[in-house]
Amino acid sequence: MNTETMKVNTAPVAAQSEKPIQHGVLRRLVEAMMFFRDGEKTFFEPEAFPWVSAVEADWTAVRKELATVMARREDIPNFQDISDAQKVLTEGEQWKTFWFYAYGEKAEENCARCPETVRVLQSIPGMKSAMFSILAPRKHIPEHRGMYKGVLRYHLGLIVPGPDGSCRIRVGGDVRSWTEGKSLIFDDSHPHEVWNDCDSYRVVLFVDFLRPVFFPASLLNRLIIWMIARTSSITEPMVRVREKARAAGKVPMAH
C-alpha cells in the first residue's frame, strides 16, 4: 500500500512510477502467486457472493440512514480533508466521505449514527473498510488504481440520479453503471475512473472486503492486510475522521 494514502486505491497511476519496486516487480510477483485464479478480471458477478442478496434486501434501511446523514451534508468531511493524498483526485466539496471502517479501524461516532448500516456491513464476510461515498453533481474522479489485489471493492447503489449510464465507472477497459439497490464488485487494482454527469448527488455504500483465496494464501493475505491497517496512512486519517465526527456531533441539528 502507498504509505501516503488512506485507501488502497487512491494513488494516481502516474504517481506509481516513483516506487517501481513496490508497485512493479514485487507487487506483480506476489499477486501472481496469490490471485492467479482471477487473472486480469475487472468486474465480478455479484451472484457469485452469497451475502450480496441479503445486503441488497436491506438497501432501503441503509438509504434511510444515509438521508439523515445527508440532511447535514455540510458536516460531512471532504475526502481531501481526511487524507491529503486525495488532493490530486478531488477539490472543494466535490467528493465527501462518511467513514465507518478503514481496514478494521472503526469510526465509533459515525457507526453509532447508522446502526442499521453497521448491521448490514457486519454481515459482509471479510469486511475491512466501509463508507458512504458521496459525489457532487458533474464530478469526475480521474484515473487512479489500487496498490494491492488482496481486497475486492463492493458498491451498493443508494442514490443514482439520471438516465442509465449517467453515473458510471470504468475499470480497466470495462464500464458499468450503478443502479439503486443493486451491487457492483470489482478489482480496484486496475486503473479506474468515475463520472457523475448528473445535476444531483450520486451516493454508494463503498466497501472493501477480503478477496477470497485458498489456504495458505488466505493467511498471507490477512497478514498483509493486518500490516496495512497499522500504517500511518490508515491510522492518521482515521484520527481526523473521529475528530470531525465528534465535532459534528456537538452541533445541534436544526429543527
Side-chain angles (χ1 to χ4, degrees):
M1 180 175 180
N2 186 328
T3 58
E4 296 178 353
T5 62
M6 179 177 181
K7 297 189 304 156
V8 174
N9 79 320
T10 52
V13 172
Q16 294 181 4
S17 60
E18 298 173 3
K19 296 184 179 182
I21 298 300
Q22 182 179 3
H23 308 309
V25 176
L26 181 58
R27 168 188 165 173
R28 289 196 295 270
L29 177 62
V30 171
E31 292 178 345
M33 292 188 299
M34 294 179 64
F35 311 118
F36 66 94
R37 290 189 307 158
D38 296 328
E40 294 303 308
K41 193 171 186 177
T42 55
F43 287 93
F44 293 72
E45 294 305 317
E47 295 78 11
F49 299 84
W51 49 266
V52 166
S53 59
V55 171
E56 290 181 346
D58 278 334
W59 85 277
T60 55
V62 176
R63 189 164 77 168
K64 184 177 180 180
E65 292 186 335
L66 168 66
T68 66
V69 171
M70 292 288 283
R72 296 171 59 182
R73 193 168 59 239
E74 68 278 3
D75 293 336
I76 304 172
N78 303 308
F79 203 179
Q80 72 274 13
D81 296 333
I82 297 300
S83 173
D84 293 338
Q86 310 314 313
K87 291 178 180 178
V88 297
L89 298 180
T90 188
E91 60 184 8
E93 298 189 352
Q94 295 179 321
W95 188 6
K96 289 180 174 288
T97 55
F98 188 86
W99 282 90
F100 299 105
Y101 298 92
Y103 280 87
E105 286 275 327
K106 185 177 182 180
E108 293 85 357
E109 294 83 2
N110 289 347
C111 287
R113 289 181 62 186
C114 300
E116 286 299 300
T117 300
V118 170
R119 177 183 61 80
V120 170
L121 291 172
Q122 291 176 343
S123 74
I124 299 175
M127 184 274 298
K128 291 298 178 182
S129 301
M131 67 176 177
F132 290 142
S133 176
I134 304 163
L135 293 189
R138 305 294 170 180
K139 169 62 177 172
H140 169 235
I141 301 176
E143 183 177 274
H144 57 293
R145 68 184 300 175
M147 296 299 168
Y148 176 56
K149 286 182 175 286
V151 293
L152 293 179
R153 178 142 303 159
Y154 173 73
H155 282 181
L156 175 66
L158 297 176
I159 300 176
V160 185
D164 186 43
S166 300
C167 296
R168 62 195 182 279
I169 179 170
R170 176 186 64 81
V171 181
D174 301 319
V175 177
R176 301 283 177 91
S177 300
W178 292 280
T179 301
E180 291 183 359
K182 297 300 180 181
S183 304
L184 290 179
I185 297 176
F186 59 96
D187 178 353
D188 83 301
S189 69
H190 294 285
H192 57 284
E193 59 184 322
V194 171
W195 295 265
N196 175 8
D197 290 339
C198 299
D199 292 324
S200 53
Y201 285 86
R202 184 241 61 178
V203 185
V204 299
L205 181 63
F206 170 120
V207 178
D208 283 342
F209 64 96
L210 284 173
R211 190 180 194 127
V213 289
F214 289 120
F215 180 87
S218 59
L219 294 182
L220 177 57
N221 193 36
R222 288 178 180 273
L223 175 61
I224 293 171
I225 297 298
W226 181 87
M227 293 170 63
I228 290 172
R230 280 148 183 80
T231 62
S232 60
S233 58
I234 298 295
T235 57
E236 291 178 4
M238 284 303 285
V239 168
R240 296 185 189 179
V241 167
R242 295 185 182 104
E243 289 174 348
K244 291 181 180 294
R246 284 192 291 269
K250 294 177 182 178
V251 177
M253 184 178 296
H255 295 284

